[in-house]
Amino acid sequence: MKKSSNWPATILIALGSLLILFPLYMTIAIALKNPEEMAQSIFSLPTGLHFENFANAIKATNFFNALGNSATITITSVVFILLTNSMVAYAIARNMNRKFFKALYFYFISAMFIPFQIIMLPVVKVTTDLHMNNILGLIILYIVYGLAFNVFVYTGYIRSIPYELEEAATVDGATTFGTFWKIIFPLLAPVSATIGILSCLSTWNDFMLPLILLGDQDSYTLPLVQYVFQGQFSTDFNLAFASYLLALSPMLVVYLFAQKWIISGLTSGSIK
């Protein structure tokens, strides 16, 4: 029997797609225009392709230096987030019957509801006093800030793994540390991929934490160097949007190739 089309759902999906695609179109169109075309209409297609905007944006923002900083911070943070946060979650998940670990779990969960603005000034004060207002300090903060959500996701997934696997490894002489790395951590691949992708996107696109922490311009990340186009009385929108495209392109490629892991990982972790 032929199924009828769900037109309300189709229309909603189409409208949602337009809400996403229209800003992307505007970004590309403005990046390829010159100021004269901008003055005529910001919505029209560019009459000529002004790729020199990208070259000028690269020069103005010291793009490759900022790209290297963003890549270093993002890759290092994601690697240590996966390694450390999974171990913390494993300790909590397998000791949830103990009061200390149960309290620790809810402590991490409660941290998810604290706005960053509340702790912003104390973070600046402490990192400055410890001389951590640099790339290394920023990486450490990203690792710590990811604990709340990541422990929540990891713990739910680990508790769905049969405990008999660890008992069998213990009988064979494996230590707790060895059991985790040889048995549990490989089984965490779907949820680790989800956490890795989300952490990668949030770290790469973060603006506030580098803004308040990094004082040296040579340490600036890609979101931070976009400030160069903001003048006192005007903004060079053509170069700014060209720079935005350059900055978002790496993460757009990563997301397009890895988006299936986000849904599959979260779905797998939700089933016990």
Side-chain angles (χ1 to χ4, degrees):
M1 186 175 66
K2 185 178 180 180
K3 295 182 179 180
S4 59
S5 299
N6 190 339
W7 287 109
T10 303
I11 294 172
L12 287 175
I13 293 173
L15 292 174
S17 300
L18 287 176
L19 290 175
I20 296 173
L21 292 176
F22 181 72
L24 182 60
Y25 158 76
M26 290 294 298
T27 303
I28 296 174
I30 293 174
L32 293 173
K33 291 180 179 179
N34 58 22
E36 290 74 19
E37 292 176 301
M38 277 279 295
Q40 294 175 2
S41 174
I42 62 171
F43 299 105
S44 62
L45 288 169
T47 56
L49 302 180
H50 296 275
F51 290 107
E52 68 273 11
N53 290 337
F54 294 92
N56 294 333
I58 290 174
K59 183 178 179 181
T61 60
N62 196 6
F63 175 79
F64 292 106
N65 178 70
L67 176 65
N69 293 335
S70 289
T72 299
I73 293 169
T74 301
I75 294 172
T76 307
S77 298
V78 170
V79 169
F80 280 96
I81 283 171
L82 296 180
L83 295 178
T84 59
N85 292 192
S86 59
M87 287 192 288
V88 174
Y90 176 65
I92 292 175
R94 290 308 189 220
N95 296 278
M96 192 65 80
N97 57 327
R98 301 182 182 181
K99 291 183 178 180
F100 172 77
F101 288 95
K102 193 169 186 178
L104 188 62
Y105 175 72
F106 286 109
Y107 171 77
F108 283 127
I109 298 302
S110 64
M112 296 172 59
F113 300 96
I114 300 176
F116 174 73
Q117 291 78 5
I118 293 179
I119 61 174
M120 183 169 62
L121 291 179
V123 165
V124 174
K125 174 63 176 175
V126 172
T127 52
T128 302
D129 290 344
L130 296 176
H131 303 288
M132 292 175 57
N133 51 341
N134 49 40
I135 288 179
L136 177 60
L138 189 61
I139 291 172
I140 293 173
L141 288 178
Y142 281 135
I143 296 171
V144 173
Y145 284 158
L147 267 173
F149 175 77
N150 297 339
V151 165
F152 172 72
V153 176
Y154 267 131
T155 300
Y157 190 88
I158 292 172
R159 296 185 71 183
S160 70
I161 298 175
Y163 188 68
E164 289 75 15
L165 294 175
E166 296 163 68
E167 291 179 336
T170 303
V171 171
D172 291 338
T175 62
T176 302
F177 190 77
T179 300
F180 174 76
W181 288 115
K182 295 179 180 179
I183 305 297
I184 301 300
F185 192 72
L187 295 176
L188 297 178
V191 71
S192 292
T194 300
I195 290 175
I197 294 166
L198 295 178
S199 299
C200 184
L201 292 172
S202 62
T203 303
W204 183 275
N205 294 322
D206 186 36
F207 174 79
M208 184 60 69
L209 200 54
L211 175 65
I212 65 174
L213 201 66
L214 300 178
D216 184 8
Q217 289 190 358
D218 291 334
S219 301
Y220 280 6
T221 59
L222 281 176
L224 207 53
V225 296
Q226 310 305 324
Y227 254 156
V228 73
F229 303 107
Q230 183 67 46
Q232 183 176 2
F233 301 107
S234 64
T235 299
D236 192 334
F237 288 104
N238 302 110
L239 295 190
F241 277 76
S243 182
Y244 300 157
L245 276 179
L246 290 170
L248 67 85
S249 295
M251 284 302 101
L252 185 61
V253 173
V254 169
Y255 183 78
L256 288 176
F257 281 98
Q259 58 180 323
K260 62 178 182 180
W261 288 97
I262 297 179
I263 302 301
S264 63
L266 289 175
T267 304
S268 299
S270 64
I271 300 174
K272 182 178 178 181

